[in-house]
Amino acid sequence: SGGRIGVVGSNMVDLVTYIDRMPEAGETLAAPSFSMGHGGKGANQAVAAARLGGDVMLVSRVGDDLFGEGTIRNFQESGIDARHVRAVPGTQSGVAPIFVELSGENRILIVKGANEHLLPADVEAAAEDLRRCSLILLQLEIPLETVYHTIDWATREGIEVLLNPAPATPELDVGRVLAATFLVPNQTELAIMTGLPTATREEAERAARVLVEKGVRTVIVTLGAEGALLVTAERVRHVPPVTVRPRDTSGAGDAFIGAFAQHYVRSRDIEAAMAWGATYAADSITRPGTQKAFADAAGFEAFRAGLTGARGA
Ligand code: RIB
Ligand code: NA
């Protein structure tokens, strides 16, 4: 059955408005449609891995409100071990107002709420269960102290860590995350972490190499419509994109990471897991929403079968 995946991260309720264009300051504008769904980078990655059959536990915090109750129910329904998802009295659940344009391009605001209360002590409290994981996923929608603490703890325990340094923040102390086994930034996050240009694939490779030279074992740069780039001390590999017509790209990075993790803990094959993640992310952007757009194992199998057919035709 393979390894267990632990996620120490955020959850949000996504409030997605599909727009023709953003209103100007002081302007009121009608928009075509709205959809509410479960999101948050930690939760999205956990749900993607679990929908594909991964064995997933989550450490997260919700508010003592209706969104929090619904969020915990959603984890349970997704087959995630949510015993370490708790409500913080007197707080609001995290929410993310998201605006999606016709092109599929998205703009996301996050109000972290209860996610700000996920502290190092909460990771300690979950340590006995986290110890049974072979890979721990982290993002940056919880306090940075909790991220640093989890990396240090996992390193001492000999557990591999994947850090997705998202959303990009100049506050991240890069020196404190170099022990992560995997660092998975997009181009913006990589530029902020290194202070280097990352617009082209060559630039991204050079910037990733700087992190590898500082001690990160494996850097995987997600390149959006260009696929993904693997950079380690020994090799550089480009995983080509799976081209689809995008409907809503929000959550694509999370789909990639959740699927990557689910494949990797079984296969230990980084390149195969990247191709798996890229394909899962491509499928997800053909549908609106974040978690709502993540396929289960059967749905993903059907998408993959369609790709093979198209190539053979
Ligand atoms: O990565 C996409 C996610 O970012 C959304 O689900 C939103 O909640 C924000 O956390
Ligand atoms: Na989507």
Side-chain angles (χ1 to χ4, degrees):
S1 73
R4 182 162 233 236
I5 298 164
V7 181
V8 176
S10 60
N11 67 83
M12 311 266 171
V13 170
D14 288 349
L15 309 165
V16 191
T17 307
Y18 296 89
I19 61 173
D20 296 321
R21 66 170 174 87
M22 277 307 254
E24 305 293 334
E27 183 186 16
T28 300
L29 191 62
S33 64
F34 173 84
S35 166
M36 194 159 101
H38 292 290
K41 294 180 197 299
N44 290 349
Q45 294 172 20
V47 166
R51 289 219 177 128
L52 288 173
D55 178 12
V56 182
M57 69 167 282
L58 175 64
V59 182
S60 197
R61 289 293 175 268
V62 299
D64 65 352
D65 50 17
L66 289 174
F67 280 172
E69 287 168 26
T71 293
I72 291 178
R73 212 174 317 121
N74 172 56
F75 293 141
Q76 290 163 345
E77 284 164 7
S78 302
I80 291 169
D81 173 354
R83 286 174 301 134
H84 294 283
V85 182
R86 306 255 162 86
V88 183
T91 68
Q92 286 183 321
S93 292
V95 294
I98 301 180
F99 302 90
V100 181
E101 288 175 32
L102 287 173
S103 63
E105 199 68 59
N106 63 72
R107 289 182 169 75
I108 303 181
L109 290 162
I110 55 172
V111 188
K112 292 182 195 170
N115 293 294
E116 305 256 37
H117 296 264
L118 184 65
L119 301 176
D122 301 318
V123 177
E124 287 298 319
E128 209 176 297
D129 291 315
L130 283 171
R131 211 169 264 133
R132 291 204 297 276
C133 296
S134 60
L135 179 66
I136 292 179
L137 309 185
L138 290 163
Q139 316 76 26
L140 303 182
E141 291 179 331
I142 58 172
L144 289 174
E145 280 310 320
T146 307
V147 171
Y148 304 144
H149 174 86
T150 307
I151 292 174
D152 293 344
W153 175 82
T155 304
R156 284 198 303 275
E157 296 284 333
I159 300 170
E160 295 192 329
V161 174
L162 183 157
L163 172 63
N164 169 219
T169 166
E171 249 122 79
L172 179 70
D173 181 348
V174 176
R176 294 183 71 180
V177 302
L178 297 172
T181 322
F182 297 95
L183 209 54
V184 188
N186 66 17
Q187 282 156 288
T188 309
E189 292 146 9
L190 180 62
I192 289 192
M193 286 184 79
T194 59
L196 294 169
T198 58
T200 67
R201 208 201 292 174
E202 291 68 30
E203 288 173 341
E205 180 185 328
R206 236 173 284 135
R209 199 175 293 290
V210 168
L211 294 173
V212 169
E213 277 159 13
K214 286 187 176 163
V216 179
R217 185 152 12 122
T218 307
V219 179
I220 296 172
V221 189
T222 54
L223 303 167
E226 303 286 308
L229 191 65
L230 168 67
V231 181
T232 72
E234 296 82 27
R235 59 185 164 157
V236 176
R237 293 281 186 283
H238 177 241
V239 171
V242 175
T243 306
V244 294
R245 176 197 266 229
R247 167 78 171 86
D248 177 359
T249 59
S250 50
D254 300 327
F256 174 86
I257 289 169
F260 170 87
Q262 178 262 338
H263 192 292
Y264 172 76
V265 295
R266 286 179 299 135
S267 69
R268 298 274 139 190
D269 181 336
I270 297 173
E271 285 173 54
M274 285 172 67
W276 181 257
T279 309
Y280 189 73
D283 175 47
S284 80
I285 69 175
T286 65
R287 288 180 293 276
T290 49
Q291 284 176 40
K292 272 186 182 169
F294 295 174
D296 61 12
F300 185 42
E301 205 42 56
F303 177 71
R304 293 178 62 243
L307 291 176
T308 315
R311 217 175 286 132

